[in-house]
Each structure stands twice: as structure tokens, then as C-alpha cells.
Amino acid sequence: MVYLLKEYNDPAGWVRGMTIKSFLYDHFISGRYDRELAEVTDDFRKILFERMAIPPGATVLDLGCGTGLNQPHLAAAVGPEGKIIGLDASSQMLEQARERAKQGGYADRLTLTQGDARALHTLVDASPDAVVATLIFSVVPAWRDVFQKSYELLKPGGRYGIMDNYWPNPSLRLWFLSWTFAADAKRPGFEPLSRSADEFNLEYHPPDADVQFYIAYGTKPC
């Protein structure tokens, strides 16, 4: 299934690349996403960005940005001279991200683009100083390829950060939670970064909970 997609800062700019999973997020998941995941994941997002130490004035690619839950934190990190590029395949989630940016006062620093992350090089022409990928590698098709494309875009010396879940042997309850969000929690989304980055770190949060998230971060070699 392929739809026509648009760049939200340019209503006339249309590109190709929607998936069936994007359709599910548009029509079934986007309305409940913040309600069920915003509070649960906010502390982990904050920890990730603190560990990444994104500098003021940086350009950050928010890969699979969803409803924009990362972006208030990123806007505070990059400051008034920085820039955030948000990419997601779901039009409904991007609408929520755009509204959140207006309310948060950082819409002038945010570019939102709708498109399939597997076609990243045709959608983003910038070389970001940092890439963040939160709750995308457990969802996106061909996730290893998506990581590689985003890592290639990152400037040498730039920071790459991931926040996601990883349950290699999930219980029935955890399996149902993953199914609800069309996610595969058995994907080790941190592995490609561990092989590519300098100063790689991996942390599990909370360390003793059955519903466990990880953050992973590192620096692209110069």
C-alpha cells in the first residue's frame, strides 16, 4: 500500500512512501499514543538526552518522531539557534507534533516531514549534528537499513541516541503490549550502533522492572 505524502512545512511538497503500519498508526494508534506512552517514557527520554549532551545550536534529526514527545526536550537542548527535523510516516501523529510545537513555542525551529524512513536520503538533505531514534526500531520495517541510512547522514563526531524496548522472551502481557503498538520487542535495536559508534553505552531502565526500556548512545567516529 503506497500513499502520497507531504512535507508539513510545504503543503504543496508531496513525496511517496506510506506503509500499512503507518495506516494503522494514523487510524488506530495515534489517538491513544500519548495517553499510554507519554508519561511512561518521559523520564527515559530525558535521561537519553542528558547522556547525549546535545550542544546549543545543533541540528537534530528526530527519526520516527511520532507526536513530538522528544521535541520539547530537544528544543530546550538546542536553544533558539538550533534546529529539529522530525520525520514520521503517520500524518495524524505529525499533526499532533505540529500542534505541540505551536503550544511549546518552538515551531520556528522545527521542520516536520512525512515519509517512510527507508527512503530517508530522499526526504532529509541535511547532515545533522545528532540523531535520536525513540521507539522506532521496534516498529519500522527494515530497521537495520533505517539505522544505517540515518547513521550515514550523521556528521562525523555527531551523537546518536536510541530509546526503545527489548524483551527477547516476553510474557503474554508484554507480547500483548507490543502487539497493541504494532511493535517487535525482540529486535536488538542497539546492536548496529554498538558496532559503529565510539564511546558506546547501553543502559536498561528501570533495571529491575518487567517492562523495561533501554537507552543506547555513542559518537560517530571522525
Side-chain angles (χ1 to χ4, degrees), residues 60-62 65 71 84-88 94 110-114:
V60 182
L61 172 60
D62 190 2
C65 67
Q71 291 160 13
I84 305 166
I85 303 168
L87 174 71
D88 204 275
L94 286 174
L110 176 66
T111 299
L112 294 175
T113 299
Q114 186 184 357

Side-chain angles (χ1 to χ4, degrees), residues 98-115:
R98 182 167 59 176
E99 185 60 31
R100 176 173 275 115
K102 290 179 180 177
Q103 295 178 5
Y106 55 87
D108 59 327
R109 289 172 274 163
L110 176 66
T111 299
L112 294 175
T113 299
Q114 186 184 357

Side-chain angles (χ1 to χ4, degrees), residues 7 59 61 83 85 87 111 113 119-128 153-155:
E7 181 169 331
T59 295
L61 172 60
K83 182 179 179 182
I85 303 168
L87 174 71
T111 299
T113 299
L120 184 60
H121 282 77
T122 68
L123 300 170
V124 176
D125 58 7
S127 295
L153 280 180
L154 181 64
K155 288 180 180 178

Side-chain angles (χ1 to χ4, degrees), residues 196-217:
S196 304
D198 290 340
E199 304 171 2
F200 174 78
N201 287 273
L202 175 66
E203 303 174 13
Y204 286 94
H205 295 276
D208 56 353
D210 59 345
V211 178
Q212 196 171 58
F213 293 84
Y214 70 83
I215 62 171
Y217 51 98

